[in-house]
């Protein structure tokens, strides 16, 4: 008998191996068995698909059920101070944002500052239409003005950055127009601040409103698809 | 009696110190109206005339160079940095003589 004969006829091959028919039968039986296990056990347990009711009968359906996990409450507190969890800082409230245009006449100066708790974050971008003197600094709560700490006094016409408050207090920028022209400063910020304050060269101090997130109009579906 | 005098003196000094810390910094930008009896009257860009005291400690500069108080003449544009309780009750720390400043 040739190998081809054995392959066609189901006669045991030389050497005692299983015949093709036996192999086919075993494969079919294994496939049927696998299908039974799939339908009665795997589908109910893994995907919650239980066409025969075996998953419920065997208690396997519970395995596919999504466990209801109680949500972790956000940090609580009266101040917008961060709670550090690994690389993430969580706050007991939303961040705010603000956009300003400050015009400095000849030789005028102004300060614009936000109140942040220690460790709170602020993002900022500002540009000036002319050369000016600049000091990004902070004043600790309840301390005299001599306790102010300067963060950046390099001459700049724009700055884009992030800032983490080293102490609780007001933090922001002093800009001075050193010349006889007029300079316009455009400032945009977002961060976990609670209030904003503007100080002018004539000694006046004014509180400025900061904006809540709910004032941002969400993008529409049409905008998303463009 | 001596003890009472010491307490009174210290209390007065402390009150004076507190008052000094309470002072604010002002900048007055405008044109000299007059300078007499150590008082400089400046009309600011809003048209309001403010008076500021000038003493021997007041630095008077033009182009970063010290000049005499006789340079404080009517019509001269100035930038005055001062300390005081109000903008109209202050002592000049520095007076800069600057080129003419346009009114608002």
């Amino acid at each position: 008998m040739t190998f081809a004969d054995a392959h066609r006829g189901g006669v045991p091959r030389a050497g005692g191996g299983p015949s093709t028919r036996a192999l086919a039968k075993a494969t079919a039986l294994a496939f049927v068995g696998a299908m039974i296990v799939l339908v009665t056990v795997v589908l109910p347990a893994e995907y919650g698909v239980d066409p025969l009711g075996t998953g419920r009968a065997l208690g396997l359906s519970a395995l596919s059920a999504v466990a209801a996990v109680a949500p972790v409450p956000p940090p609580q507190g009266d101040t917008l101070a961060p709670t550090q969890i690994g690389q993430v800082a969580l706050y007991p409230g939303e961040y705010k944002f603000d956009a300003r245009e400050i015009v400095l006449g000849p030789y005028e100066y102004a300060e614009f500052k936000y109140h942040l708790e220690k460790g709170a974050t602020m993002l900022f971008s500002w540009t000036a239409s002319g050369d000016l003197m600049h000091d990004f600094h902070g004043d600790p709560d309840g301390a005299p003005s001599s306790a102010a700490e300067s963060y950046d006094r390099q001459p700049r016409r724009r700055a884009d950055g992030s800032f983490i408050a080293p102490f609780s207090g007001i933090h922001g920028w002093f800009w001075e127009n050193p010349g006889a022209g007029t300079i316009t400063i455009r400032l945009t910020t977002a961060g976990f601040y609670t209030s904003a304050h503007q100080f002018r060269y004539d000694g006046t101090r004014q509180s400025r409103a900061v904006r809540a997130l709910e004032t941002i109009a969400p993008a529409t579906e049409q905008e998303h698809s463009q | 009696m001596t003890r009472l005098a010491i307490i009174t003196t210290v209390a007065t000094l402390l009150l004076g110190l507190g008052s000094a810390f309470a002072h604010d910094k002002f900048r007055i930008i405008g044109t000299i109206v007059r300078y007499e009896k150590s008082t400089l009257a400046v009309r600011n860009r809003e048209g309001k005339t403010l008076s500021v005291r000038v003493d021997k400690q007041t630095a008077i500069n033009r182009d970063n160079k010290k000049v005499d108080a006789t340079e404080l003449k009517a019509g001269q544009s100035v930038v005055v940095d001062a300390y005081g309780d109000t903008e109209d009750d202050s002592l000049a720390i520095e007076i800069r003589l600057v080129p003419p400043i346009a009114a608002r």
Side-chain angles (χ1 to χ4, degrees), chain A residues 101-132:
Chain A
E101 185 173 277
I102 299 166
V103 178
L104 296 179
Y107 308 104
E108 292 180 357
Y109 63 78
E111 288 188 77
F112 205 91
K113 295 176 176 172
Y114 298 92
H115 189 274
L116 292 121
E117 295 296 329
K118 181 179 180 180
T121 298
M122 175 171 68
L123 303 175
F124 62 87
S125 289
W126 64 265
T127 61
S129 62
D131 293 336
L132 41 66

Side-chain angles (χ1 to χ4, degrees), chain A residues 106-109 176 201-202, chain B residues 26-27 45 79 87 98 104:
Chain A
Y107 308 104
E108 292 180 357
Y109 63 78
E176 180 175 354
Y201 68 98
D202 59 6
Chain B
F26 302 98
R27 173 166 290 182
R45 296 180 73 206
V79 176
E87 198 178 29
V98 298
R104 288 190 198 279

Side-chain angles (χ1 to χ4, degrees), chain B residues 84-103:
Chain B
D85 291 328
T86 67
E87 198 178 29
D88 203 23
D89 179 17
S90 56
L91 173 66
I93 304 301
E94 181 184 16
I95 301 172
R96 281 188 285 157
L97 311 183
V98 298
I101 301 168

Side-chain angles (χ1 to χ4, degrees), chain A residues 6 8 11 30 45 47 50 62 107 147 155 159 165 173-174 177-178 182 186 189 191:
Chain A
R8 283 192 298 269
V11 179
Y47 304 104
D50 193 10
Y107 308 104
W173 298 266
F174 166 89
N177 179 357
T182 296
R186 289 188 172 86
T189 64

Side-chain angles (χ1 to χ4, degrees), chain A residues 21-115:
Chain A
R21 180 171 293 173
L23 277 173
K25 188 177 177 182
T27 301
L29 284 172
F31 180 76
V32 170
M35 285 298 104
I36 292 170
V37 172
L38 177 69
V39 173
T40 59
V41 177
V42 177
L43 290 179
E46 289 286 332
Y47 304 104
V49 178
D50 193 10
L52 304 177
T54 53
R56 192 173 63 245
L58 297 172
L60 298 172
S61 299
L63 295 175
S64 65
V66 177
V69 179
V72 177
Q76 302 295 310
D78 296 330
T79 58
L80 267 183
T83 299
Q84 204 72 31
I85 302 173
Q87 299 302 309
V88 178
L90 297 176
Y91 294 76
E94 291 181 334
Y95 67 85
K96 305 289 193 303
F97 70 100
D98 193 25
R100 300 280 161 189
E101 185 173 277
I102 299 166
V103 178
L104 296 179
Y107 308 104
E108 292 180 357
Y109 63 78
E111 288 188 77
F112 205 91
K113 295 176 176 172
Y114 298 92
H115 189 274

